């Protein structure tokens, strides 16, 4: 994937135009809820184009709508036919969740959206309503063009064992250059950030995010068990992108806007003690600090990767790697692993054949896109029962199947996507964790036996 972009890159603008037209012409098939899971949620991926200083549009820029109304594809072409667009910089809107005590997702970067209400007409209406409530942007306005959808996915917990909801991403294009400032909901949104697509595609901003999974594995057993698991497993490491916003807006009335305690010198003993207490209790409230870098990872990064995959020829799923070190990843996506070295290397060995087989199939099929089922950044399960199956609206599948069946003529489907790359990986990861514990117990028992025998021999000599 090339990163040779400059502000106003015509190649990126043309790729964006073609991608939006393609998403309009070929929507992704919807996914029905799995058994015993009735919840659905929607998010909005909002795109705008920031004008170049030397090619600023006039205040009389024509509206892309017309009477009689044109097709969405024609409106997209009309919008991108404006001369200033050739020098513009496409951007995506992200929100940073408001800080909440005890919430493990506090201050995480996400897309505007939320759970579907009974009064919502459909999943798209949910995305429109939640966006209006959270950031005050009216996606029903004539200046907001609905483009299409991205692959829907089943969000799960407990490493893919329990489905929580179906997540439905939708894409909107703001067709005016002077977009009004967002109106932030204090209890939901701490800040909003417009980020350039060039930055999202840049390899120099790729990094890792480390998440504590011990709370999910031992939520009912108190801090002692959680801390023990944290010591044995370390943290789980995910691919991430450091966001470099072009424009940010902070909600001064949101909780956590001002620090509750004074800044502590990192070199002092008090800082070390404070960090240890946060680690022991699993307290993530410190992540609300505005001084920390904005990291995009997990489920939201997966949605973004689905969108970037459409931006031909910028393939974000190619060159998948397994992170054998903590250095900056070269690809947008890497296989999740743990920070503990023995867990990491055992996982590498146990998943080597699977990853090699995936790479062979990926090399043979360079097309992508299918729904994924993920645990908000911590897991993924397949929605298809076979490699060659095509997806349906979810209504014609057998009981217990999600979205299997037949594609309509204008819908897309492909066996290769980031969900396919993770299919079967987490099963091996769990086995690697268990094997690591067994090996640790074996090594520990062997060391105890050696020490015990030496102690007995020494006692006999005395």
């Amino acid at each position: 994937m090339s990163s040779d972009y400059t502000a106003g890159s015509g190649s990126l603008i043309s790729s964006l135009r073609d991608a939006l037209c393609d998403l309009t012409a070929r929507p992704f098939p919807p996914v029905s809820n799995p058994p015993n899971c009735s919840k659905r949620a929607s998010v909005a991926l909002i795109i705008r184009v920031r004008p170049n200083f030397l090619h600023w549009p006039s205040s009389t820029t024509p509206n892309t709508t017309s009477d009689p109304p044109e097709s969405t594809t024609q409106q997209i072409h009309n919008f991108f036919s404006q001369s200033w667009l050739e020098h513009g910089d496409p951007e995506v809107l992200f929100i940073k969740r408001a800080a909440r005590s005890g919430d493990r997702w506090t201050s995480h970067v996400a897309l505007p959206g939320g759970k579907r209400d009974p009064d919502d007409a459909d999943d798209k209406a949910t995305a429109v309503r939640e966006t209006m409530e959270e950031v005050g942007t009216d996606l029903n306005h004539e200046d907001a063009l609905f483009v299409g959808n991205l692959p829907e996915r089943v969000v799960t917990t407990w490493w893919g064992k329990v489905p929580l909801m179906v997540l439905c991403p939708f894409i909107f294009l703001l067709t005016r250059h002077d977009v009004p400032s967002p109106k932030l909901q204090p209890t939901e949104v701490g800040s909003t950030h417009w980020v350039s697509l060039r930055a999202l595609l840049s390899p120099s901003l790729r990094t890792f995010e480390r998440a504590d999974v011990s709370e999910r594995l031992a939520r009912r057993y108190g801090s002692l068990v959680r801390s023990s698991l944290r010591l044995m497993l370390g943290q789980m490491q995910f691919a991430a992108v450091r966001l470099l916003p072009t424009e940010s807006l902070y909600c001064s009335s949101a909780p956590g806007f001002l620090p509750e305690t004074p800044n502590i010198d990192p070199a002092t003993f008090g800082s070390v003690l404070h960090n240890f207490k946060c680690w022991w209790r699993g307290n993530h409230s410190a992540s609300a600090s505005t001084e920390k870098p904005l990291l995009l990872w997990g489920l939201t990064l997966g949605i973004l990767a689905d969108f970037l995959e459409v931006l031909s020829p910028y393939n974000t799923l190619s060159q998948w790697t397994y992170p054998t070190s903590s250095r900056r990843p070269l690809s947008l996506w890497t296989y999740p692993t743990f920070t503990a070295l023995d867990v990491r290397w055992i996982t590498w060995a146990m998943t080597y054949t699977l990853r090699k087989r995936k790479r062979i199939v990926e090399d043979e099929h360079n097309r992508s896109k299918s729904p994924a089922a993920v645990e908000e950044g911590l897991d993924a399960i397949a929605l298809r029962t076979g490699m060659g199956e095509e997806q349906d609206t979810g209504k014609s599948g057998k009981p217990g199947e999600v979205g299997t069946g037949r594609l309509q003529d204008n819908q897309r489907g492909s066996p290769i996507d980031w969900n396919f790359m993770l299919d079967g990986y987490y099963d091996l990861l769990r086995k690697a964790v268990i094997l690591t514990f067994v090996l640790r117990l074996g090594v520990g028992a062997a060391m105890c036996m050696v020490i015990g025998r030496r102690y007995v021999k020494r006692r006999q000599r005395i």
Side-chain angles (χ1 to χ4, degrees):
M1 179 182 64
S2 174
S3 61
D4 297 333
Y5 295 130
T6 58
S9 174
S11 61
L12 183 57
I13 290 293
S14 60
S15 296
L16 176 62
R17 178 200 60 210
D18 296 341
L20 296 181
C21 290
D22 184 47
L23 289 167
T24 300
R26 296 193 301 152
F28 287 94
V31 173
S32 61
N33 286 75
N36 303 322
C37 177
S38 60
K39 295 182 180 179
R40 299 181 71 87
S42 301
V43 294
L45 195 152
I46 305 173
I47 303 172
R48 75 174 184 183
V49 180
R50 177 182 292 274
N52 186 287
F53 175 78
L54 299 177
H55 302 274
W56 203 266
S58 63
S59 58
T60 58
T61 299
N63 199 306
T64 57
T65 59
S66 62
D67 190 19
E70 298 174 331
S71 66
T72 303
T73 302
Q74 187 60 48
Q75 293 183 60
I76 294 175
H77 279 287
N78 290 346
F79 172 71
F80 282 94
S81 65
Q82 302 174 83
S83 59
W84 68 271
L85 262 298
E86 299 179 4
H87 310 277
D89 195 12
E91 298 175 342
V92 177
L93 178 65
F94 294 97
I95 65 172
K96 185 177 181 182
R97 300 185 187 277
R100 294 179 180 179
S101 179
D103 183 6
R104 65 171 178 267
W105 304 118
T106 180
S107 303
H108 278 207
V109 175
L111 296 171
K115 296 181 181 179
R116 179 172 175 174
D117 287 345
D119 296 335
D120 293 333
D122 50 28
D123 295 321
K124 174 191 168 186
T126 301
V128 172
R129 176 184 55 79
E130 286 287 342
T131 300
M132 185 64 184
E133 293 177 358
E134 291 183 345
V135 298
T137 300
D138 185 7
L139 297 179
N140 282 326
H141 194 272
E142 60 180 5
D143 293 325
L145 181 61
F146 171 65
V147 174
N149 68 333
L150 289 172
E152 299 178 2
R153 64 201 70 226
V154 178
V155 180
T156 69
T157 187
W158 292 103
W159 286 19
K161 294 182 179 180
V162 181
L164 295 178
M165 67 182 70
V166 176
L167 181 63
C168 310
F170 297 93
I171 300 179
F172 296 84
L173 173 65
L174 302 184
T175 58
R176 58 182 297 178
H177 67 277
D178 52 344
V179 178
S181 299
K183 181 182 177 182
L184 309 188
Q185 218 284 353
T187 60
E188 298 288 339
V189 181
S191 58
T192 58
H193 307 274
W194 285 103
V195 182
S196 170
L197 278 180
R198 294 184 296 116
L200 296 173
L201 288 166
S202 174
S204 63
L205 295 177
R206 293 169 188 168
T207 181
F208 289 111
E209 170 67 345
R210 294 170 178 83
D212 183 11
V213 297
S214 62
E215 294 183 359
R216 299 162 184 253
L217 300 178
R219 191 178 301 171
R220 301 179 180 180
Y221 302 103
S223 60
L224 180 61
V225 174
R226 288 199 300 265
S227 302
S228 301
L229 285 174
R230 196 177 299 124
L231 284 172
M232 291 186 290
L233 286 176
Q235 293 178 309
M236 204 166 184
Q237 181 174 283
F238 299 91
V241 174
R242 183 171 62 88
L243 298 185
L244 190 63
T246 60
E247 180 180 332
S248 299
L249 178 65
Y250 294 88
C251 185
S252 60
S253 58
F257 177 73
L258 295 176
E260 298 180 358
T261 57
N263 293 332
I264 304 176
D265 187 353
T268 63
F269 175 76
S271 174
V272 176
L273 183 61
H274 173 74
N275 292 335
F276 176 78
K277 288 181 179 180
C278 291
W279 172 86
W280 176 265
R281 297 172 181 174
N283 182 12
H284 305 287
S285 60
S287 61
S289 173
T290 57
E291 298 179 358
K292 285 200 155 191
L294 294 169
L295 292 182
L296 180 67
W297 65 284
L299 179 57
T300 307
L301 181 58
I303 296 174
L304 177 69
D306 285 338
F307 172 69
L308 296 181
E309 274 296 292
V310 188
L311 287 176
S312 176
Y314 315 117
N315 191 336
T316 58
L317 290 179
S318 63
Q319 301 179 353
W320 265 56
T321 58
Y322 182 87
T324 55
S325 67
S326 299
R327 293 179 295 180
R328 187 180 69 200
L330 298 178
S331 57
L332 181 66
W333 270 99
T334 60
Y335 285 96
T337 185
F338 285 94
T339 54
L341 293 180
D342 53 351
V343 181
R344 175 181 297 180
W345 284 105
I346 291 176
T347 302
W348 177 88
M350 293 185 64
T351 61
Y352 177 80
T353 302
L354 174 69
R355 290 182 285 108
K356 185 178 180 180
R357 186 169 65 250
K358 301 282 188 182
R359 179 52 56 88
I360 293 175
V361 177
E362 181 195 12
D363 292 340
E364 296 176 353
H365 303 271
N366 55 6
R367 298 182 60 187
S368 65
K369 289 298 175 293
S370 71
V374 300
E375 178 207 351
E376 298 179 281
L378 292 186
D379 207 355
I381 59 176
L383 292 180
R384 285 184 275 187
T385 58
M387 181 64 189
E389 287 184 315
E390 295 176 319
Q391 289 178 305
D392 187 11
T393 59
K395 299 179 181 179
S396 60
K398 299 178 182 179
E401 295 180 347
V402 182
T404 61
R406 192 171 184 172
L407 278 172
Q408 299 177 4
D409 293 338
N410 66 332
Q411 291 179 334
R412 64 176 78 219
S414 172
I416 307 299
D417 66 349
W418 66 285
N419 169 61
F420 166 76
M421 302 298 288
L422 286 175
D423 186 18
Y425 177 80
Y426 278 96
D427 292 334
L428 295 176
L429 180 63
R430 284 189 286 267
K431 294 177 181 179
V433 171
I434 296 174
L435 178 59
T436 303
F437 287 163
V438 172
L439 291 178
R440 287 180 179 179
L441 289 175
V443 172
M447 293 180 62
C448 290
M449 290 180 61
V450 172
I451 295 175
R453 289 177 180 177
R454 290 185 177 181
Y455 176 78
V456 171
K457 290 181 178 180
R458 181 174 298 180
R459 291 283 296 179
Q460 291 176 349
R461 291 176 183 176
I462 296 177

